Amino acid sequence: MPAVSMTVNGKAVSGNVEERTLLVQFLREQLRLTGTHVGCDTSQCGACVIHLDGVSAKSCTLLALQCEGANITTIEGVALSDGKLHPMQEAFREHHGLQCGYCTPGMIMAALDIVRRNGNDLDEHTIREQLDGNICRCTGYHNIVKAIAAGAKNMKGAAA
Amino acid sequence: MYNFTFHRPTTVRQAAGLLSRNPEAKLLAGGHSLLPVMKLRLAQPSALIDLSQVEGIVGVELKGRSISIGAMTRHADVANSPVLKEAMPGLAAVPGSIGDPQVRNRGTIGGSIANNDPNADYPAACLGLGATIITNKRRIAADDFFTGMFSTALEEGEIIVRISFPIAKKAGYEKFKHPASGFALVGVFASKRGSDIRVAVTGAGSNGVFRVPTFEEALKKRFSPKSLEGLTIPAAGMNSDIHATPEYRAHLVGVLARRAVAKAVG
């Protein structure tokens, strides 16, 4: 089996994978980083969103081998170095932006990319439009949208 | 997904060599059409040739009176290109309407065009602007490139390198998005460059993207949505599925063409 190496959450990792191994399988099954979820496996639901070289991507539609040499961030790599929640995570907690929590890792990774693309002052319309690739079957999105708006604002204060 | 061998060439030449040595191979661009199709076992390539490390096929450039876009340029990078937004915002709007943000971060223009999905957006832009598809072997006019549903003029071992779009003063795209997939149920790209007027339709035709000569004729008199008032196209030859009847698609072609022209004249 081919070898693959990449940086995941700041740490150099490597392993042997089948060519067809998806990034999400490598993350979950080999690295045991099970925060990244598989909801649909058809690039619709966004539960598997990670950051690939700083940009959000669906890890169910990437081969591990496509990420050779890449820099990956998963939900496990988002919290601050002192162990505190990232402002976006904190905002999801504060605003109860989840019910069952299955979509939450992907929501947070997608939210961070919305901030990267659109800045810290986000209106509701922008958030809803930009959350197009993430599906939540519990909340009706209302509190997720509120959490993202608040998290984005709080990120400005905290030098994350 | 059945297994395959995986290759990561760094030049177009290497990629072409790998293609010729692996006749059952497929080129992997963004992978957002190919990998889902492989998961469904609708495609079983023996090898994947990942183009992501190939030099010189990424980026948006102004070249004289054309915009040249490297085949591996991601949808998000085309949509956000300052050069393109300045030169032809009507084209920049096309990739911005594809899929969702994560799909746009991965999907590429070359992959979209080579796949020629009958509901994809870029084929309408290519045909609607009279683009030239530049491969490792030749230059192909968009009019000759799209040969039917999921079918193109690309030959064995041929790799799209760049796409060159002549800059049209007036260009606009309007699509009726399928609410779940984001694909164009119908999409119309309209442009005017001097006396060259083009109206190209995706999503509607049962044989992929096509031009509408009757609409183009009408727009020659005056490039305005008013010129298209009352014009329709026949439902024969329109696609039919659970999402829309041929009659509805034909109706949408007229509506969206007027809106695309309205956008183009701004």
Side-chain angles (χ1 to χ4, degrees), chain A residues 9 24 27-29 31-39 46-50 59 73-77 89 101-109:
Chain A
N9 300 331
V24 70
L27 293 172
R28 288 179 56 84
E29 293 165 23
L31 303 182
R32 307 303 293 170
L33 293 171
T34 53
T36 303
H37 291 168
V38 180
C48 68
V49 171
I50 50 85
S59 61
T73 306
T74 70
I75 189 67
E76 288 91 344
Q89 292 174 306
Y102 197 85
C103 72
T104 313
M107 286 288 175
I108 288 173
M109 298 313 282

Side-chain angles (χ1 to χ4, degrees), chain A residues 18-22 41-44 49 52 55-58 60-63 65-69 110 113 116-117 129-134, chain B residues 1-6 8 28-33 35-36 39 41 48 50 52-53 80 99-106 177 179-181:
Chain A
E18 275 194 296
E19 287 84 349
R20 62 182 167 180
T21 302
L22 301 170
D41 194 29
T42 55
S43 38
Q44 321 256 339
V49 171
L52 165 60
V55 171
S56 68
K58 290 182 171 172
C60 78
T61 312
L62 280 166
L63 301 169
L65 289 178
Q66 284 178 282
C67 303
E68 171 66 38
D113 205 49
R116 176 186 70 81
R117 297 193 305 271
E129 283 277 308
Q130 297 295 317
L131 216 51
D132 194 16
N134 291 75
Chain B
M1 190 174 355
Y2 290 110
N3 211 13
F4 44 83
T5 61
F6 185 82
R8 262 194 147 186
L28 180 64
H32 275 50
S33 296
L35 294 176
K39 285 182 181 180
R41 296 183 174 176
L48 285 186
D50 177 10
S52 68
Q53 308 300 303
N80 295 324
D100 60 47
Q102 286 73 41
V103 170
R104 293 194 288 275
N105 284 343
R106 294 299 302 166
K177 258 192 184 196
S181 72

Side-chain angles (χ1 to χ4, degrees), chain B residues 77-139:
Chain B
D77 296 328
V78 177
N80 295 324
S81 159
V83 174
L84 180 58
K85 284 204 276 194
E86 169 77 29
M88 200 161 36
L91 176 58
V94 172
S97 76
I98 297 172
D100 60 47
Q102 286 73 41
V103 170
R104 293 194 288 275
N105 284 343
R106 294 299 302 166
T108 66
I109 184 169
S112 169
I113 289 168
N115 191 42
N116 193 16
D117 186 297
N119 295 89
D121 301 284
Y122 266 131
C126 290
L127 195 59
L129 282 167
T132 303
I133 288 86
I134 299 156
T135 74
N136 56 335
K137 295 182 176 170
R138 58 188 170 135
R139 301 167 66 89

